[in-house]
Amino acid sequence: MKAVADARAKKGCDRDADLPGPPASAYTLLPWLLMGLGAFSSLVEGTTPDPWIGGTGLLAFNSLYVTVAFRAFVKEKRESRSTLAALAAMAAITYGLAISYGGTWLFFFPLLSLACGAVLRERKLGLAVMVLASSAGAISGMEAGEVWDNVTIAYGTFLSGMVTAAVLSLSQTVRELRDTRQELARTAVEKERLRFSRDLHDLLGHTLSVIVVKSEAARRLAPRDLDAALGQVADIEAVGRQALTEIREAVTGYREGSLGTELDRARSALLAAEVEPVVRLSGPPLPSQVEALLGWVVREAVTNVVRHSGATRCEIVVDGAPERVRLKITDDGHGVPSVQPAAPGSRIGGTGLKGLTERLAAAGGSLDAGRGPRGGFQVSAELPVDPADAALEAELGLGTEHGAVHG
């Protein structure tokens, strides 16, 4: 079971890792540096005045751009002051080169806007991109260029920054979703392990206790009443077969026990252990989910009575109401073990009761275990009931008929 669950989770994680998604690497931003080839060609051809100044500016801009690109994909580095300082230096270089040389040097504005889109977020990004787009259009217009050229450089500057920010934000969202899906897969595996361990503990603990008690009864009856002993042996066989069915259902996760069935089994187990059972039920029919949870409580509590209490009488009371149902199981046995705190209402119990407490809490209910009001041991459970579910199941004939029953 564990191996299958782990394999499914790993397969799901591997499948997520293979899903296509937006780029999430600084290397995807580097090819855009080719936009500066026009300025580089001007330097090589010697058409740029003061080429040493232009060459130094080109080298400095490219170096800062690469630095910012690699820092943009780490949140701590992206938001650091050094990264913002690098952007400011790129802006100073861009404005200086664009005003001094114009022409192809204006293409550093889209590159700067792209770097801003990789680093800045929300309002800062919008303000920076608008300023850069306006500046690119204005500086282009100062050179008496055509109106369409001015609009093109301004629009290209605006678009490069906003599209880069959108793509990188999408990339981050995709990575977060993949991480979330992997975490959900791991959580599902852990929940399945917990469910299976609880069901197996409750099923086997109760079943083996009943088998032991009935085997002891058969051994006591065999010398004087062979037919009665054979009846106990037949019960052992029936309990064993039922246990196999329930374990299969628990493995597949479709076991929903009936409260009436569990009460019948509890009465049989108590009688075999020479404990007088008294069962009282009242209230309207219950939804199947509530019945299943109360059935687990009855199974665990009666198992503890049979195995540990030394009781001669066990009383099971189900008190249903339109919105809540209460279950109390009380015996007259030894009560709280001496190694446990004996204060009234104190919470005690082993793995079974702790697991049931968690189950009922998840369903909005509660479970208490401790010394009973007249000694002995008492388990009290309370669960909310959805009247709509109860009415629907009653109409379909799925509910439990409640009435006073005395064992």
Side-chain angles (χ1 to χ4, degrees):
M1 184 72 181
K2 176 178 179 295
V4 172
D6 288 342
R8 288 177 179 174
K10 184 177 185 301
K11 182 178 180 181
C13 295
D14 292 342
R15 184 171 61 252
D16 287 345
D18 294 337
L19 289 175
S25 169
Y27 293 102
T28 58
L29 302 181
L30 299 185
W32 293 102
L33 286 173
L34 295 175
M35 294 178 65
L37 282 179
F40 181 75
S41 297
S42 299
L43 287 174
V44 173
E45 294 172 359
T47 59
T48 301
D50 301 319
W52 290 105
I53 296 177
T56 302
L58 180 61
L59 178 62
F61 182 92
N62 289 345
S63 300
L64 290 171
Y65 179 90
V66 172
T67 301
V68 169
F70 279 95
R71 296 176 69 88
F73 291 88
V74 180
K75 183 177 181 180
E76 293 75 11
K77 294 182 179 180
R78 182 176 69 238
E79 298 176 351
S80 66
R81 293 183 179 179
S82 58
T83 302
L84 297 178
L87 275 181
M90 289 174 63
I93 295 172
T94 299
Y95 277 95
L97 294 177
I99 293 174
S100 299
Y101 300 125
T104 56
W105 295 85
L106 290 171
F107 287 111
F108 285 107
F109 274 107
L111 277 174
L112 176 59
S113 180
L114 190 150
C116 289
V119 172
L120 302 179
R121 294 291 182 269
E122 299 177 355
R123 293 183 179 179
K124 292 181 180 180
L125 172 65
L127 179 61
V129 170
M130 290 299 297
V131 170
L132 291 176
S134 302
S135 299
I139 295 174
S140 177
M142 290 170 55
E143 297 185 354
E146 296 183 3
V147 176
W148 183 248
D149 293 338
N150 302 338
V151 172
T152 300
I153 190 65
Y155 179 70
T157 300
F158 175 82
L159 195 64
S160 62
M162 299 306 294
V163 169
T164 300
V167 170
L168 294 184
S169 296
L170 178 60
S171 175
Q172 182 178 354
T173 301
V174 169
R175 292 198 302 273
E176 291 175 353
L177 287 175
R178 288 175 180 173
D179 293 341
T180 301
R181 291 185 63 180
Q182 292 174 8
E183 183 62 29
L184 288 175
R186 287 191 291 268
T187 301
V189 171
E190 294 300 326
K191 286 184 177 180
E192 182 64 12
R193 290 175 185 167
L194 182 60
R195 181 199 68 80
F196 184 70
S197 64
R198 286 175 177 172
D199 287 1
L200 197 61
H201 171 274
D202 294 342
L203 288 170
L204 292 183
H206 174 79
T207 301
L208 294 177
S209 297
V210 172
I211 290 175
V212 169
V213 170
K214 287 187 173 290
S215 298
E216 292 175 348
R219 178 175 53 80
R220 290 195 304 269
L221 292 172
R224 62 178 186 272
D225 191 344
L226 185 58
D227 290 338
L230 291 176
Q232 294 293 335
V233 172
D235 288 345
I236 293 172
E237 181 182 359
V239 169
R241 293 183 182 278
Q242 182 63 31
L244 289 175
T245 301
E246 291 177 345
I247 289 175
R248 294 190 186 101
E249 292 173 348
V251 170
T252 56
Y254 292 110
R255 183 180 188 277
E256 291 188 359
S258 165
L259 180 58
T261 302
E262 293 297 342
L263 290 173
D264 290 339
R265 294 174 183 171
R267 186 183 292 106
S268 175
L270 292 170
L271 288 173
E274 299 181 349
V275 179
E276 178 189 359
V278 178
V279 182
R280 296 188 176 91
L281 296 92
S282 62
L286 300 174
S288 57
Q289 182 180 7
V290 174
E291 280 202 15
L293 288 171
L294 294 181
W296 282 114
V297 177
V298 170
R299 174 183 286 262
E300 179 64 25
V302 170
T303 299
N304 290 337
V305 170
V306 171
R307 294 172 62 183
H308 307 302
S309 70
T312 59
R313 186 175 186 272
C314 179
E315 182 177 353
I316 304 174
V317 178
V318 180
D319 182 13
E323 296 183 354
R324 297 192 75 82
V325 59
R326 295 175 178 84
L327 167 67
K328 288 187 178 181
I329 302 173
T330 309
D331 64 64
D332 60 354
H334 303 313
V336 182
S338 58
V339 296
Q340 297 284 359
S346 60
R347 295 176 179 271
I348 69 169
T351 303
L353 290 180
K354 291 178 181 177
L356 286 174
T357 301
E358 295 173 359
R359 289 189 186 192
L360 267 65
S366 62
L367 185 141
D368 293 307
R371 184 181 296 277
R374 293 170 293 181
F377 192 78
Q378 178 175 282
V379 176
S380 302
E382 185 172 339
L383 276 171
V385 177
D386 189 337
D389 291 345
L392 178 60
E393 293 192 4
E395 184 178 347
L396 296 175
L398 301 176
T400 301
E401 296 293 337
H402 283 185
V405 179
H406 299 272

PDB file of all heavy atoms in Angstrom, residues 23-39:
ATOM      1  N   PRO A  23       9.352  30.571 -19.818  1.00  0.00           N
ATOM      2  CA  PRO A  23      10.767  30.517 -19.453  1.00  0.00           C
ATOM      3  C   PRO A  23      10.982  30.977 -18.025  1.00  0.00           C
ATOM      4  O   PRO A  23      10.318  31.870 -17.539  1.00  0.00           O
ATOM      5  CB  PRO A  23      11.428  31.471 -20.452  1.00  0.00           C
ATOM      6  CG  PRO A  23      10.324  32.367 -20.912  1.00  0.00           C
ATOM      7  CD  PRO A  23       9.090  31.525 -20.896  1.00  0.00           C
ATOM      8  N   ALA A  24      11.930  30.374 -17.358  1.00  0.00           N
ATOM      9  CA  ALA A  24      12.218  30.723 -15.964  1.00  0.00           C
ATOM     10  C   ALA A  24      13.720  30.750 -15.753  1.00  0.00           C
ATOM     11  O   ALA A  24      14.231  30.297 -14.748  1.00  0.00           O
ATOM     12  CB  ALA A  24      11.557  29.719 -15.026  1.00  0.00           C
ATOM     13  N   SER A  25      14.464  31.301 -16.748  1.00  0.00           N
ATOM     14  CA  SER A  25      15.908  31.321 -16.661  1.00  0.00           C
ATOM     15  C   SER A  25      16.427  32.635 -17.219  1.00  0.00           C
ATOM     16  O   SER A  25      15.864  33.208 -18.166  1.00  0.00           O
ATOM     17  CB  SER A  25      16.499  30.142 -17.452  1.00  0.00           C
ATOM     18  OG  SER A  25      17.899  30.294 -17.586  1.00  0.00           O
ATOM     19  N   ALA A  26      17.534  33.121 -16.624  1.00  0.00           N
ATOM     20  CA  ALA A  26      18.132  34.376 -17.084  1.00  0.00           C
ATOM     21  C   ALA A  26      18.636  34.264 -18.516  1.00  0.00           C
ATOM     22  O   ALA A  26      18.703  35.274 -19.233  1.00  0.00           O
ATOM     23  CB  ALA A  26      19.271  34.762 -16.150  1.00  0.00           C
ATOM     24  N   TYR A  27      18.965  33.054 -18.956  1.00  0.00           N
ATOM     25  CA  TYR A  27      19.506  32.883 -20.309  1.00  0.00           C
ATOM     26  C   TYR A  27      18.484  33.263 -21.379  1.00  0.00           C
ATOM     27  O   TYR A  27      18.851  33.581 -22.515  1.00  0.00           O
ATOM     28  CB  TYR A  27      19.969  31.446 -20.515  1.00  0.00           C
ATOM     29  CG  TYR A  27      21.167  31.090 -19.664  1.00  0.00           C
ATOM     30  CD1 TYR A  27      21.020  30.353 -18.501  1.00  0.00           C
ATOM     31  CD2 TYR A  27      22.446  31.518 -20.020  1.00  0.00           C
ATOM     32  CE1 TYR A  27      22.117  30.034 -17.710  1.00  0.00           C
ATOM     33  CE2 TYR A  27      23.549  31.212 -19.239  1.00  0.00           C
ATOM     34  CZ  TYR A  27      23.379  30.468 -18.082  1.00  0.00           C
ATOM     35  OH  TYR A  27      24.462  30.161 -17.303  1.00  0.00           O
ATOM     36  N   THR A  28      17.176  33.220 -21.040  1.00  0.00           N
ATOM     37  CA  THR A  28      16.167  33.595 -22.027  1.00  0.00           C
ATOM     38  C   THR A  28      16.133  35.106 -22.262  1.00  0.00           C
ATOM     39  O   THR A  28      15.538  35.559 -23.253  1.00  0.00           O
ATOM     40  CB  THR A  28      14.777  33.136 -21.551  1.00  0.00           C
ATOM     41  OG1 THR A  28      14.494  33.739 -20.281  1.00  0.00           O
ATOM     42  CG2 THR A  28      14.729  31.630 -21.397  1.00  0.00           C
ATOM     43  N   LEU A  29      16.745  35.882 -21.387  1.00  0.00           N
ATOM     44  CA  LEU A  29      16.776  37.337 -21.546  1.00  0.00           C
ATOM     45  C   LEU A  29      18.014  37.820 -22.285  1.00  0.00           C
ATOM     46  O   LEU A  29      18.045  38.963 -22.767  1.00  0.00           O
ATOM     47  CB  LEU A  29      16.710  38.018 -20.176  1.00  0.00           C
ATOM     48  CG  LEU A  29      15.494  37.696 -19.295  1.00  0.00           C
ATOM     49  CD1 LEU A  29      15.582  38.464 -17.984  1.00  0.00           C
ATOM     50  CD2 LEU A  29      14.193  38.037 -20.022  1.00  0.00           C
ATOM     51  N   LEU A  30      19.028  36.993 -22.369  1.00  0.00           N
ATOM     52  CA  LEU A  30      20.287  37.436 -22.958  1.00  0.00           C
ATOM     53  C   LEU A  30      20.229  37.669 -24.464  1.00  0.00           C
ATOM     54  O   LEU A  30      20.883  38.600 -24.965  1.00  0.00           O
ATOM     55  CB  LEU A  30      21.398  36.426 -22.628  1.00  0.00           C
ATOM     56  CG  LEU A  30      21.697  36.236 -21.132  1.00  0.00           C
ATOM     57  CD1 LEU A  30      22.890  35.311 -20.952  1.00  0.00           C
ATOM     58  CD2 LEU A  30      21.945  37.578 -20.445  1.00  0.00           C
ATOM     59  N   PRO A  31      19.495  36.865 -25.254  1.00  0.00           N
ATOM     60  CA  PRO A  31      19.477  37.118 -26.711  1.00  0.00           C
ATOM     61  C   PRO A  31      18.977  38.511 -27.089  1.00  0.00           C
ATOM     62  O   PRO A  31      19.290  38.998 -28.183  1.00  0.00           O
ATOM     63  CB  PRO A  31      18.537  36.025 -27.246  1.00  0.00           C
ATOM     64  CG  PRO A  31      18.633  34.922 -26.241  1.00  0.00           C
ATOM     65  CD  PRO A  31      18.784  35.606 -24.924  1.00  0.00           C
ATOM     66  N   TRP A  32      18.220  39.152 -26.207  1.00  0.00           N
ATOM     67  CA  TRP A  32      17.717  40.486 -26.534  1.00  0.00           C
ATOM     68  C   TRP A  32      18.838  41.526 -26.623  1.00  0.00           C
ATOM     69  O   TRP A  32      18.629  42.630 -27.147  1.00  0.00           O
ATOM     70  CB  TRP A  32      16.692  40.928 -25.493  1.00  0.00           C
ATOM     71  CG  TRP A  32      15.450  40.096 -25.542  1.00  0.00           C
ATOM     72  CD1 TRP A  32      15.109  39.082 -24.698  1.00  0.00           C
ATOM     73  CD2 TRP A  32      14.393  40.181 -26.495  1.00  0.00           C
ATOM     74  NE1 TRP A  32      13.916  38.528 -25.057  1.00  0.00           N
ATOM     75  CE2 TRP A  32      13.449  39.182 -26.169  1.00  0.00           C
ATOM     76  CE3 TRP A  32      14.158  40.999 -27.609  1.00  0.00           C
ATOM     77  CZ2 TRP A  32      12.292  38.989 -26.906  1.00  0.00           C
ATOM     78  CZ3 TRP A  32      12.995  40.813 -28.349  1.00  0.00           C
ATOM     79  CH2 TRP A  32      12.075  39.816 -27.989  1.00  0.00           C
ATOM     80  N   LEU A  33      20.014  41.189 -26.129  1.00  0.00           N
ATOM     81  CA  LEU A  33      21.151  42.099 -26.266  1.00  0.00           C
ATOM     82  C   LEU A  33      21.517  42.343 -27.729  1.00  0.00           C
ATOM     83  O   LEU A  33      22.237  43.297 -28.053  1.00  0.00           O
ATOM     84  CB  LEU A  33      22.366  41.544 -25.522  1.00  0.00           C
ATOM     85  CG  LEU A  33      22.320  41.642 -23.987  1.00  0.00           C
ATOM     86  CD1 LEU A  33      23.494  40.900 -23.375  1.00  0.00           C
ATOM     87  CD2 LEU A  33      22.331  43.105 -23.549  1.00  0.00           C
ATOM     88  N   LEU A  34      21.028  41.474 -28.627  1.00  0.00           N
ATOM     89  CA  LEU A  34      21.297  41.664 -30.057  1.00  0.00           C
ATOM     90  C   LEU A  34      20.680  42.954 -30.587  1.00  0.00           C
ATOM     91  O   LEU A  34      21.050  43.424 -31.672  1.00  0.00           O
ATOM     92  CB  LEU A  34      20.765  40.468 -30.849  1.00  0.00           C
ATOM     93  CG  LEU A  34      21.448  39.116 -30.564  1.00  0.00           C
ATOM     94  CD1 LEU A  34      20.752  38.001 -31.323  1.00  0.00           C
ATOM     95  CD2 LEU A  34      22.925  39.188 -30.945  1.00  0.00           C
ATOM     96  N   MET A  35      19.746  43.520 -29.806  1.00  0.00           N
ATOM     97  CA  MET A  35      19.172  44.806 -30.222  1.00  0.00           C
ATOM     98  C   MET A  35      20.228  45.912 -30.241  1.00  0.00           C
ATOM     99  O   MET A  35      20.041  46.953 -30.866  1.00  0.00           O
ATOM    100  CB  MET A  35      18.021  45.195 -29.283  1.00  0.00           C
ATOM    101  CG  MET A  35      16.818  44.266 -29.362  1.00  0.00           C
ATOM    102  SD  MET A  35      15.515  44.736 -28.200  1.00  0.00           S
ATOM    103  CE  MET A  35      15.043  46.323 -28.878  1.00  0.00           C
ATOM    104  N   GLY A  36      21.338  45.692 -29.535  1.00  0.00           N
ATOM    105  CA  GLY A  36      22.410  46.683 -29.514  1.00  0.00           C
ATOM    106  C   GLY A  36      23.409  46.535 -30.639  1.00  0.00           C
ATOM    107  O   GLY A  36      24.431  47.248 -30.670  1.00  0.00           O
ATOM    108  N   LEU A  37      23.162  45.610 -31.577  1.00  0.00           N
ATOM    109  CA  LEU A  37      24.100  45.418 -32.695  1.00  0.00           C
ATOM    110  C   LEU A  37      24.202  46.656 -33.587  1.00  0.00           C
ATOM    111  O   LEU A  37      25.255  46.924 -34.183  1.00  0.00           O
ATOM    112  CB  LEU A  37      23.672  44.208 -33.529  1.00  0.00           C
ATOM    113  CG  LEU A  37      24.011  42.826 -32.942  1.00  0.00           C
ATOM    114  CD1 LEU A  37      23.495  41.724 -33.859  1.00  0.00           C
ATOM    115  CD2 LEU A  37      25.522  42.703 -32.755  1.00  0.00           C
ATOM    116  N   GLY A  38      23.101  47.407 -33.683  1.00  0.00           N
ATOM    117  CA  GLY A  38      23.152  48.602 -34.508  1.00  0.00           C
ATOM    118  C   GLY A  38      24.141  49.615 -33.955  1.00  0.00           C
ATOM    119  O   GLY A  38      24.940  50.202 -34.705  1.00  0.00           O
ATOM    120  N   ALA A  39      24.122  49.786 -32.622  1.00  0.00           N
ATOM    121  CA  ALA A  39      25.075  50.711 -32.004  1.00  0.00           C
ATOM    122  C   ALA A  39      26.497  50.184 -32.148  1.00  0.00           C
ATOM    123  O   ALA A  39      27.441  50.955 -32.399  1.00  0.00           O
ATOM    124  CB  ALA A  39      24.716  50.901 -30.534  1.00  0.00           C
TER     125      ALA A  39
END
